[in-house]
């Protein structure tokens, strides 16, 4: 037990050092611009040190949790679904995971509120708080639905072993074509909404699911077939939000 | 004391974010798969680690990085800093903003290196590829892509050129690269676009975009402030495929040299 604890501590320390290395670039960039370019002292130095210490501990503990929690459950569920062999439940799971993790995503809530303000300023909405709240809610629903669909398509691709590039490039082209017809005020938001859907908890989980499925299914290669779910989750929101913007301005 | 209270609320908020995920996972595990999880205890401990780790991480960012980084973004985009105090400039000369591009690139790079979801992908890719994909190589390639993307994104806001031209050209580059790329790298490269933009990068990059769009005459913070995230998700795809091509080229060269030595 004493030995266990010591090796545990040594491991934690090693992780802590590597987390520190991850933070060095930020510390260097911020100090360089503050002290040399802007030539100002660093305000609240003690508070910043404490904050950095928190970031360090947080990153280290999170990476540990990734290894013993998120990766194993993603893989074990992928395995169980592969053995069960029910396409319906696997796709239902993929949809629920995409929809459930995105609907509550704080970054998306922020972007949706911002987008409602843009729409009100652009005259698409009547500007009342209720109309804006409605718009933001519909937009969030659209993005969450699109991520659910994305994971379904992505999982189906892994099962079939389709090359990813045809689907993704086809998606890009759809984005380009829709951009031509979409109202100007939705384009920036649509493009950004692809980036906000993939949170720190979703990414490891979804990656473990994809790689786990590709490992469990015969004839699939985890490197070629396992990755790519995140790519779908960042692409489909753009398409769905562009369509949402077109429908909204068309239907009023 | 205040820090403790913040920490508590951060814990509550993170638990609320993780809750829907946990409900979906355990719901399907016990209602559909109907099998006990083999290592339930350590998985639950892992989830607790994730919640606690993320809470500390977010509180630390709020305390140490975000206020200073946002203040910096505001100061660097301030006309008084760019043109000198009291100087009134007609129109916008994009070359005056070189410090903004430098900051954009530097902060894009630095925040990407600290991005936990990128670490997760890199660890997984390293393991799945049997070590062929190096953790640091992938992270650096993505970070360079984000740096270039954010810098170009600030240039776009400053010049006021339409977002979709850049994105469409970027897509065209991705398509050409895809045709030439190693089949095993394509999905990973596509994924790396989506992972760059989460916890650390988004708030700082958004602050930079909004700062620029509000201080430059003729830009609307509502219309032009968006779009930096899109750049930050597109360019890593390009740099990761380029990195893989470069790696292959190096290996090939080494092999040719090795052959020459043997002869």
């Amino acid at each position: 037990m004493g030995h266990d604890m010591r090796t545990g501590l040594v491991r934690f320390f090693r992780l802590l050092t590597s987390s520190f290395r991850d933070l060095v670039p930020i510390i260097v960039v911020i100090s360089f611009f503050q002290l040399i370019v802007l030539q100002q002292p660093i305000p609240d130095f003690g508070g910043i040190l404490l904050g950095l210490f928190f970031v360090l501990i947080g990153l280290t503990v999170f990476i540990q949790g990734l290894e013993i929690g998120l990766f194993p459950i993603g893989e074990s569920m992928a395995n169980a679904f592969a053995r069960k062999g029910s396409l319906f439940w696997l796709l239902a799971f993929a949809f629920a995971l995409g929809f459930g993790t995105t609907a509550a995503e704080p970054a998306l809530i922020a972007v949706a509120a911002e987008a409602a303000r843009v729409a009100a300023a652009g005259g698409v909405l009547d500007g009342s708080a209720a109309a804006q709240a409605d718009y933001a809610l519909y937009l969030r629903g659209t993005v969450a639905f699109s991520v659910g669909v994305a994971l379904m398509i992505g999982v189906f691709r892994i099962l079939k072993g389709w090359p990813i590039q045809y689907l993704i490039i086809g998606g890009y082209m759809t984005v380009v074509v829709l951009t031509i017809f979409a109202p100007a005020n939705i384009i920036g938001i649509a493009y950004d909404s692809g980036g906000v859907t993939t949170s720190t908890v979703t990414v490891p989980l979804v990656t473990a699911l994809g790689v786990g499925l590709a490992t469990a299914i015969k004839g699939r290669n985890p490197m070629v077939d396992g990755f790519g779910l995140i790519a779908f989750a960042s692409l489909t929101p753009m398409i769905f939000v562009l369509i949402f913007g077109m429908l909204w301005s068309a239907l009023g | 004391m205040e820090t403790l209270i913040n920490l508590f609320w951060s814990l509550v908020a993170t638990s609320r974010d993780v809750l829907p995920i946990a409900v979906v996972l355990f719901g399907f595990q016990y209602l559909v798969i109907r099998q006990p999880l083999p290592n339930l205890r350590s998985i639950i401990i892992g989830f607790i680690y994730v919640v606690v780790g993320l809470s500390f991480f977010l509180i630390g960012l709020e305390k140490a990085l975000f206020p200073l980084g946002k203040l910096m973004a505001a100061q660097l985009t301030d006309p008084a800093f760019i043109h000198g105090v009291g100087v009134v400039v007609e129109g916008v000369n994009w070359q005056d903003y070189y410090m903004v591009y430098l900051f954009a690139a530097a902060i894009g790079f630095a925040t990407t290196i600290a991005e936990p979801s990128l670490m997760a992908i890199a660890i997984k890719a390293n393991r799945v590829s049997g070590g062929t994909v190096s953790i640091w190589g992938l992270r650096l390639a993505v970070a360079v892509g984000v740096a270039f993307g954010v810098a170009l994104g600030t240039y776009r806001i400053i010049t006021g050129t339409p977002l979709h031209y850049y994105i469409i050209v970027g897509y065209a580059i991705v398509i050409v690269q895809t045709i030439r790329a190693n089949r095993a790298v394509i999905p990973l490269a596509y994924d790396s676009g989506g992972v760059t933009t989460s916890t650390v990068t988004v708030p700082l990059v958004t602050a930079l975009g909004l700062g620029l769009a509000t201080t430059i005459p003729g830009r609307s913070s509502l219309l032009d402030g968006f779009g930096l995230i899109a750049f930050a998700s597109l360019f890593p795809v390009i740099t990761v495929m380029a990195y893989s091509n470069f790696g292959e080229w190096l290996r090939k060269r080494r092999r040719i040299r090795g052959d020459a030595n043997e002869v």
Side-chain angles (χ1 to χ4, degrees), chain A residues 2-251:
Chain A
H3 183 70
D4 257 19
M5 221 164 119
R6 215 167 51 211
T7 49
L9 268 180
V10 169
R11 201 179 127 68
F12 186 76
F13 238 57
R14 204 172 295 146
L15 279 172
L16 211 60
T17 345
S18 91
S19 299
F20 179 71
R21 223 174 28 201
D22 299 331
L23 294 179
V24 167
I26 291 196
I27 298 172
V28 170
V29 169
I30 298 266
S31 335
F32 173 79
F33 277 90
Q34 186 74 358
L35 299 174
I36 296 176
V37 178
L38 294 166
Q39 303 196 332
Q40 271 160 21
I42 290 184
D44 186 23
F45 190 65
I48 287 184
L49 272 188
L50 183 68
L52 279 177
F53 179 70
F54 274 25
V55 170
L56 199 62
I57 297 281
L59 202 54
T60 310
V61 173
F62 173 78
I63 297 287
Q64 290 271 57
L66 201 76
E67 298 273 9
I68 63 172
L70 295 183
F71 281 164
I73 198 173
E75 270 154 35
S76 127
M77 291 187 79
N79 248 315
F81 273 117
R83 254 182 292 126
K84 195 176 160 67
S86 156
L87 180 65
F88 172 79
W89 282 115
L90 177 57
L91 293 183
F93 174 66
F95 181 84
L97 193 63
F99 187 89
T101 55
T102 311
E105 170 68 35
L108 176 63
I109 297 173
V111 167
E114 191 66 39
R117 238 167 290 147
V118 176
V124 183
L125 290 179
D126 64 19
S128 72
Q132 285 194 29
D134 264 5
Y135 183 87
L137 192 67
Y138 280 119
L139 186 60
R140 264 172 67 196
T142 306
V143 175
F145 181 78
S146 71
V147 176
V149 171
L151 291 192
M152 266 169 64
I153 298 175
V155 162
F156 196 68
R157 173 196 85 89
I158 295 175
L159 300 182
K160 293 284 171 197
W162 290 337
I164 190 171
Q165 54 268 39
Y166 300 119
L167 293 167
I168 296 286
I169 290 176
Y172 279 166
M173 287 175 175
T174 313
V175 170
V176 171
V177 171
L178 287 175
T179 302
I180 301 169
F181 299 105
N185 59 55
I186 200 79
I187 294 174
I189 297 155
Y191 285 10
D192 271 2
S193 69
V196 297
T197 50
T198 41
S199 81
T200 317
V201 183
T202 324
V203 166
L205 203 58
V206 164
T207 307
L209 177 73
V211 169
L213 276 176
T215 313
I217 296 168
K218 243 181 129 179
R220 296 285 165 273
N221 172 325
M223 198 67 203
V224 177
D225 303 303
F227 287 93
L229 286 177
I230 306 291
F232 284 104
S234 335
L235 174 67
T236 50
M238 291 198 253
I239 296 175
F240 279 62
V241 171
L242 284 171
I243 295 174
F244 169 83
M246 287 157 70
L247 284 181
W248 192 280
S249 54
L251 303 175

Side-chain angles (χ1 to χ4, degrees), chain B residues 141-156:
Chain B
V142 174
V144 168
V146 174
F148 186 76
V150 179
L152 191 67
T154 52
Y155 170 80
R156 181 197 75 83

Side-chain angles (χ1 to χ4, degrees), chain B residues 6-247:
Chain B
N6 286 343
L7 191 61
F8 172 77
W9 284 114
S10 179
L11 268 171
V12 173
T14 316
S15 315
R16 209 183 40 209
D17 297 343
V18 174
L19 194 67
I21 301 176
V23 168
V24 170
L25 289 177
F26 290 106
F28 273 86
Q29 179 71 36
Y30 289 106
L31 298 176
V32 177
I33 296 176
R34 287 192 205 158
Q35 268 165 14
L37 275 165
N39 33 12
L40 182 64
R41 218 176 78 102
S42 80
I43 283 176
I44 290 176
I45 294 175
F47 267 86
I48 294 170
Y49 277 13
V50 164
V51 169
V52 171
L54 269 185
S55 308
F56 268 93
F57 189 68
L58 292 175
I59 277 290
L61 288 177
E62 284 295 342
K63 212 170 162 50
L65 283 175
F66 290 165
L68 195 55
K70 286 175 185 168
L71 185 68
M72 229 173 238
Q75 283 173 331
L76 286 167
T77 51
D78 186 355
F81 171 78
I82 288 165
H83 309 295
V85 183
V87 180
V88 179
V89 195
E90 287 284 318
V92 179
N93 185 5
W94 66 271
Q95 284 142 338
D96 294 345
Y97 290 83
Y98 63 94
M99 232 0 137
V100 173
Y101 309 135
L102 188 65
F103 180 71
I107 205 77
F109 181 89
T111 51
T112 306
I113 292 294
E115 201 65 79
S117 38
L118 177 58
M119 269 172 235
I121 287 264
I123 292 171
K124 203 79 200 170
N126 176 267
R127 226 166 273 165
V128 168
S129 69
T132 322
V133 177
S134 101
I135 296 184
W136 271 97
L138 182 66
R139 287 172 65 192
L140 286 174
V142 174
V144 168
V146 174
F148 186 76
V150 179
L152 191 67
T154 52
Y155 170 80
R156 181 197 75 83
I157 296 177
I158 289 162
T159 55
T161 32
L163 171 64
H164 50 274
Y165 291 173
Y166 292 82
I167 300 288
I168 290 169
V169 170
Y171 285 170
I173 297 175
V174 170
I175 292 173
V176 171
Q177 277 183 309
T178 303
I179 297 168
R180 303 176 48 98
N182 179 343
R183 209 165 65 94
V185 166
I186 296 170
L188 182 65
Y190 287 176
D191 267 2
S192 59
V195 297
T196 51
T197 45
S198 34
T199 342
V200 201
T201 320
V202 172
L204 287 181
V205 164
T206 312
L208 190 62
L210 289 177
L212 276 175
T214 38
T215 50
I216 295 178
R219 302 288 172 277
S220 123
S221 68
L222 294 176
L223 285 181
D224 297 307
F226 287 103
L228 280 180
I229 308 295
F231 277 78
S233 347
L234 176 59
F235 283 89
V237 182
I238 296 174
T239 48
V240 169
M241 285 203 268
Y243 163 72
S244 137
N245 279 342
F246 177 69

